[in-house]
Amino acid sequence: MKQGLILITLSMLLAACFSEDVSQRKVDTSNEISPQTITLEQTETIADSKIIEGNEGFNLINNENKSNVEAQSPLFISSQTNEGKESETPTLVQEPVEPEETVVEDSIMIGDSKYINLMEEEKFQDWINVAEKYGAGLYAIPYSDVFAIVKEGEVLVGMSTGVASAAPNHIDILCDLMADKGEAAEEIIEGIKHVAETGESVQLTGPQEFGDDYTIEKLDEWVVVTW
């Protein structure tokens, strides 16, 4: 009986010890497993007045920077801007084109034909000299061999290949034009005057060096020389 009580007592003590050990272990395990609680300290609340003061300081800095930019020379700023634009997209400057001079053609109408002024053509200088002597001008139908000495719209002398003619009151011009006919020039001039006075035709044999014969006659009151 005593032994049984002793055994029961020991069993109870062992159970108590085991229970205490287990409880302790549970406590220790719970300490290990449970996450640590982090307590955040309460941060200070920024007052609205401080925010306003901070914004005023920021605005002050911006205003100072802006005033510094505005203080720069406008010419300098403009120059930088232009340089930047030029480096990005070069501007093509078109040179002004001078208008072409309009050449006014000096021409006259004789009958149904148009005659242009030849007073600047050097190859006709001998005929030009004669025209200038009488205050007239030398004209010609374009792309032809028809020429005329004209004064104030009136044809004084007409010329073409192998023929020249003049009105009776302008035979002096015709004589001056024939002055370049070499040895035959004097006879041709005398023949022109004779035909103008008498109306009789004249036949002349030209120098062998030219091989030309001359006929001087009056046709419709005009004195005509052919060769």
Side-chain angles (χ1 to χ4, degrees):
M1 185 71 175
K2 290 181 179 180
Q3 291 178 352
L5 291 172
I6 294 170
L7 289 173
I8 292 171
T9 303
L10 289 173
S11 298
M12 292 178 66
L13 290 173
L14 291 172
C17 292
F18 179 77
S19 175
E20 183 180 358
D21 182 58
V22 171
S23 299
Q24 185 67 35
R25 288 179 63 188
K26 287 182 179 180
V27 173
D28 295 339
T29 303
S30 62
N31 291 335
E32 293 176 358
I33 295 174
S34 61
Q36 295 180 359
T37 301
I38 301 174
T39 303
L40 297 177
E41 295 181 359
Q42 184 176 2
T43 57
E44 293 183 3
T45 302
I46 301 176
D48 293 339
S49 59
K50 292 185 177 180
I51 295 175
I52 294 173
E53 291 176 358
N55 289 336
E56 289 178 351
F58 181 74
N59 292 333
L60 181 59
I61 294 172
N62 285 340
N63 291 333
E64 290 179 354
N65 293 335
K66 184 177 180 180
S67 63
N68 290 336
V69 172
E70 292 176 351
Q72 294 182 1
S73 169
L75 178 62
F76 177 74
I77 295 173
S78 175
S79 176
Q80 287 182 332
T81 304
N82 291 337
E83 289 178 359
K85 289 182 179 179
E86 290 178 359
S87 62
E88 292 175 1
T89 53
T91 303
L92 298 177
V93 179
Q94 185 177 2
E95 295 182 357
V97 179
E98 296 182 359
E100 296 183 358
E101 294 183 0
T102 302
V103 178
V104 179
E105 184 180 66
D106 183 5
S107 63
I108 59 174
M109 294 296 296
I110 300 176
D112 295 332
S113 300
K114 177 182 178 181
Y115 286 70
I116 60 173
N117 191 305
L118 298 180
M119 295 297 286
E120 301 299 327
E121 296 290 337
E122 294 183 1
K123 62 182 178 180
F124 301 118
Q125 192 60 52
D126 290 341
W127 291 357
I128 291 172
N129 292 340
V130 173
E132 288 179 339
K133 179 180 178 181
Y134 295 92
L138 178 66
Y139 290 80
I141 297 175
Y143 311 108
S144 75
D145 62 349
V146 178
F147 299 83
I149 293 177
V150 182
K151 182 177 181 180
E152 297 177 355
E154 178 187 0
V155 178
L156 308 182
V157 173
M159 298 172 287
S160 186
T161 303
V163 61
S165 60
N169 55 337
H170 295 302
I171 61 172
D172 291 343
I173 301 175
L174 183 60
C175 291
D176 287 345
L177 291 172
M178 296 293 108
D180 63 348
K181 296 301 182 180
E183 295 178 2
E186 186 175 349
E187 291 184 60
I188 294 172
I189 292 172
E190 289 179 358
I192 291 172
K193 292 178 179 179
H194 177 77
V195 171
E197 291 174 359
T198 64
E200 297 178 355
S201 298
V202 175
Q203 296 288 332
L204 297 174
T205 300
Q208 293 298 322
E209 58 180 316
F210 294 106
D212 292 329
D213 294 332
Y214 294 89
T215 299
I216 306 171
E217 56 188 340
K218 181 178 282 189
L219 297 173
D220 296 331
E221 300 300 322
W222 283 64
V223 178
V224 181
V225 180
T226 58
W227 60 92

